Amino acid sequence: MAKQTFIQGTLVLIIAGLITRFLGFINRIVVARIMGEEGVGLYMMALPTLFLVIAITHFGLPVAISKRVAEADAKGDRQKIKKILLVSFSLTFILSTIFTIIFILISPVVAQYLLTDHRTLYPLLAISPIIPIVAISAVLRGYFQGLQNMKPQAISQVIEQIVRITLVAFLTKLLLPYGVEFAASGAMISVIIGEFCSLMFIIYQFKNKKRIKLRRNIGQSLQKAKGTLRELMSIALPTTGSGIVGRLSHFLEPILVSQSLAIAGYTVTQSTKLYGELTGYVLPLLFLPTFITTSLSTALVPSISEADAKNQVKLIHFRIHQSIRLSFASGAFATIILFIYAKPILAFMYNDPDASRFVTLMAPFFILLYFQAPLQAALQALDLAKQAMYNSIIGSVVKLSTLIILASQPQFGIMGVVLAIIVGVILVTLLHFAVLFKHIQFRLPFGDIVKMMSLLLITYYLGNMLYNLFPDAEQNLLPLFIVLIILAVLYIILLFIFRFITKDEFAQLPVFNKIK
């Protein structure tokens, strides 16, 4: 089975992430233009509830599977890998069945009394069949990650987006005459079909490339798997806690937003529209670089787990530093682009330049968000998942408390929600850094911090200069595209000057070193 190095595996996932993010933005543009702000608001208000249930269903197993499979594979223990898979499949089957039924039963209550918009019931019910599909897929992806073979996961992600974008326009247009809530349901159905096709591909890869036979002596293997279950749970439980905290926060967020804005004097329609702008237009732009940080964190877990088992402290520090450096390299460019060009980008993509006020305020702080995924992955790989969970709890409580206090005041309103999100991002990132410093004395060298600030300031200066040289960029797409290309080329040169990308890392690009 093809096994990649840390950088190669990351590159495979980054390429897939780039493709899926691009297709995902096309999908969002199509959905936004067909359904409008209100339809996008209904769609986005329903998603956090689903994510919460999926987080519970996963039970933290993907990370646990990746770590334990990596350890077992290093020892050549195929029987152990079989036990890991059997226990994981058994748990996900039971949990996904239970939570799918619960999700369907509680959807009317959630829509009517928590989301305060009965129309969200239809997209909630439409998306419910995705729970067992995603649960099974998560186990298989964790298995391939543990073997440090990222290709099946990468290809499956692309397949999911292609299928979704192929169907979303047809289904939303088909159901829009019945109301925006049915159009939002059509968008949800396209997600289900995409995930199902993705699962079929990854099952095909597993059957063709598996080195173990799951069907042989299943009962006997499960009886001897109590130790394996304990090992998985030692990682899965705190990881589940972190996931539940995050999803619970996302679940409560639209509820608290609607309730707080109502206190501030907003109508239900106004709240839905503004929340749709923030979560449907602005946050996806700010989260764009996370496909790189997520790729880094996925490859980081088995890599650090192996180094930790061998007590290679220097390698652990190097991997964490490397992932932060590469995360900043991707996040800094996105931060400057969004800070300077937010208005024309939102105008061209969503025909909504007014949402730029959110982007320009949030972008400078969101550079800290791009560190969170690799930092949390490092904590999980070092058996510090409990500390990561505590950080998530603290961050969520502070964020939601800030949201309630500020958003309920008329002088803040929706900007109170924006400020609360910023506070949460800053706090969790700093807490992750503090835990790593406490346990392994990891810190960012002062010289690196100076280089980071220098890169940001120089890129900002160049971006402003180009904006002034091409004033038509604010009104026309072609000049804006030219400006972004020129700035991207200059930024890549700066990355090499400041050594944010090394020659060794560059040499591992597929163009120079074909991944077999």
Side-chain angles (χ1 to χ4, degrees), residues 10 64 237 413 492 516:
T10 300
L237 287 175
I492 291 172
K516 297 182 180 180

Side-chain angles (χ1 to χ4, degrees), residues 117-237:
D117 193 332
H118 67 278
R119 296 175 299 173
T120 55
L121 173 62
Y122 299 100
L124 284 174
L125 293 176
I127 200 64
S128 57
I130 203 175
I131 296 173
I133 297 174
V134 172
I136 298 171
S137 180
V139 174
L140 293 175
R141 288 178 180 179
Y143 164 76
F144 281 115
Q145 289 167 15
L147 297 178
Q148 299 184 52
N149 179 17
M150 308 300 172
K151 289 183 180 179
Q153 173 176 336
I155 296 172
S156 68
Q157 289 174 348
V158 175
I159 291 173
E160 187 270 327
Q161 283 291 342
I162 290 174
V163 173
R164 183 195 299 190
I165 201 171
T166 302
L167 294 175
V168 68
F170 169 74
L171 291 173
T172 51
K173 284 184 178 179
L174 179 67
L175 296 173
L176 185 59
Y178 301 97
V180 289
E181 61 270 35
F182 289 97
S185 301
M188 293 292 194
I189 293 171
S190 70
V191 174
I192 293 174
I193 298 174
E195 287 286 355
F196 179 76
C197 293
S198 171
L199 175 60
M200 291 299 100
F201 170 79
I202 206 166
I203 287 175
Y204 171 78
Q205 290 292 308
F206 177 73
K207 287 185 175 181
N208 279 354
K209 297 182 179 181
K210 69 178 180 180
R211 297 177 294 179
I212 54 176
K213 296 182 179 180
L214 288 180
R215 296 182 181 179
R216 182 177 297 177
N217 300 323
I218 293 178
Q220 185 178 357
S221 297
L222 283 174
Q223 288 177 356
K224 298 179 180 180
K226 291 182 180 179
T228 302
L229 178 61
R230 284 194 297 269
E231 291 177 0
L232 287 172
M233 290 301 99
S234 67
I235 304 169
L237 287 175

Side-chain angles (χ1 to χ4, degrees), residues 133-440:
I133 297 174
V134 172
I136 298 171
S137 180
V139 174
L140 293 175
R141 288 178 180 179
Y143 164 76
F144 281 115
Q145 289 167 15
L147 297 178
Q148 299 184 52
N149 179 17
M150 308 300 172
K151 289 183 180 179
Q153 173 176 336
I155 296 172
S156 68
Q157 289 174 348
V158 175
I159 291 173
E160 187 270 327
Q161 283 291 342
I162 290 174
V163 173
R164 183 195 299 190
I165 201 171
T166 302
L167 294 175
V168 68
F170 169 74
L171 291 173
T172 51
K173 284 184 178 179
L174 179 67
L175 296 173
L176 185 59
Y178 301 97
V180 289
E181 61 270 35
F182 289 97
S185 301
M188 293 292 194
I189 293 171
S190 70
V191 174
I192 293 174
I193 298 174
E195 287 286 355
F196 179 76
C197 293
S198 171
L199 175 60
M200 291 299 100
F201 170 79
I202 206 166
I203 287 175
Y204 171 78
Q205 290 292 308
F206 177 73
K207 287 185 175 181
N208 279 354
K209 297 182 179 181
K210 69 178 180 180
R211 297 177 294 179
I212 54 176
K213 296 182 179 180
L214 288 180
R215 296 182 181 179
R216 182 177 297 177
N217 300 323
I218 293 178
Q220 185 178 357
S221 297
L222 283 174
Q223 288 177 356
K224 298 179 180 180
K226 291 182 180 179
T228 302
L229 178 61
R230 284 194 297 269
E231 291 177 0
L232 287 172
M233 290 301 99
S234 67
I235 304 169
L237 287 175
T239 303
T240 301
S242 296
I244 291 175
V245 168
R247 297 308 181 189
L248 184 60
S249 175
H250 292 154
F251 167 73
L252 292 174
E253 187 177 295
I255 298 170
L256 296 177
V257 167
S258 60
Q259 301 286 353
S260 299
L261 292 181
I263 295 173
Y266 290 73
T267 65
V268 172
T269 301
Q270 286 175 326
S271 299
T272 302
K273 180 180 177 181
L274 288 170
Y275 192 69
E277 282 185 345
L278 180 59
T279 58
Y281 301 165
V282 174
L283 289 181
L285 283 173
L286 293 169
F287 277 98
L288 181 61
T290 58
F291 77 87
I292 293 178
T293 61
T294 301
S295 301
L296 285 165
S297 63
T298 300
L300 198 61
V301 171
S303 179
I304 290 184
S305 297
E306 182 180 358
D308 187 42
K310 296 178 181 179
N311 199 29
Q312 297 175 326
V313 178
K314 288 185 179 180
L315 180 58
I316 293 172
H317 280 246
F318 174 75
R319 287 287 181 237
I320 299 174
H321 183 269
Q322 186 180 38
S323 63
I324 291 174
R325 175 165 46 82
L326 294 175
S327 296
F328 181 85
S330 62
F333 183 68
T335 296
I336 298 301
I337 290 295
L338 293 175
F339 187 77
I340 299 175
Y341 307 109
K343 196 169 184 178
I345 288 173
L346 285 165
F348 289 128
M349 292 184 64
Y350 301 116
N351 195 28
D352 189 3
D354 292 338
S356 62
R357 68 189 189 278
F358 300 142
V359 178
T360 52
L361 177 60
M362 300 175 77
F365 299 99
F366 259 60
I367 196 163
L368 292 175
L369 176 76
Y370 310 138
F371 296 153
Q372 278 190 23
L375 289 176
Q376 181 157 327
L379 292 174
Q380 291 167 340
L382 294 170
D383 285 324
L384 297 172
K386 285 184 180 179
Q387 286 78 358
M389 179 183 68
Y390 298 149
N391 294 344
S392 298
I393 292 173
I394 295 170
S396 296
V397 169
V398 172
K399 182 186 77 170
L400 296 178
S401 300
T402 306
L403 189 156
I404 295 170
I405 294 170
L406 296 181
S408 59
Q409 300 183 34
Q411 62 267 37
F412 285 101
I414 191 66
M415 294 306 293
V417 180
V418 172
L419 292 173
I421 294 172
I422 291 172
V423 169
V425 166
I426 295 172
L427 181 59
V428 174
T429 303
L430 294 180
L431 287 173
H432 283 348
F433 270 116
V435 172
L436 284 175
F437 175 74
K438 179 181 178 181
H439 288 273
I440 63 171

Side-chain angles (χ1 to χ4, degrees), residues 40-92:
V40 172
L42 291 173
Y43 177 78
M44 297 305 298
M45 288 179 76
L47 283 181
T49 308
L50 171 73
F51 292 153
L52 173 62
V53 177
I54 289 177
I56 298 172
T57 306
H58 277 182
F59 211 60
L61 286 173
V63 174
I65 294 168
S66 176
K67 178 176 173 63
R68 296 309 183 196
V69 167
E71 293 171 348
D73 186 55
K75 300 175 183 177
D77 192 347
R78 296 187 181 183
Q79 189 63 30
K80 181 65 173 293
I81 295 175
K82 178 179 179 178
K83 291 178 182 178
I84 292 169
L85 287 174
L86 287 175
V87 170
S88 301
F89 277 127
S90 301
L91 278 176
T92 53

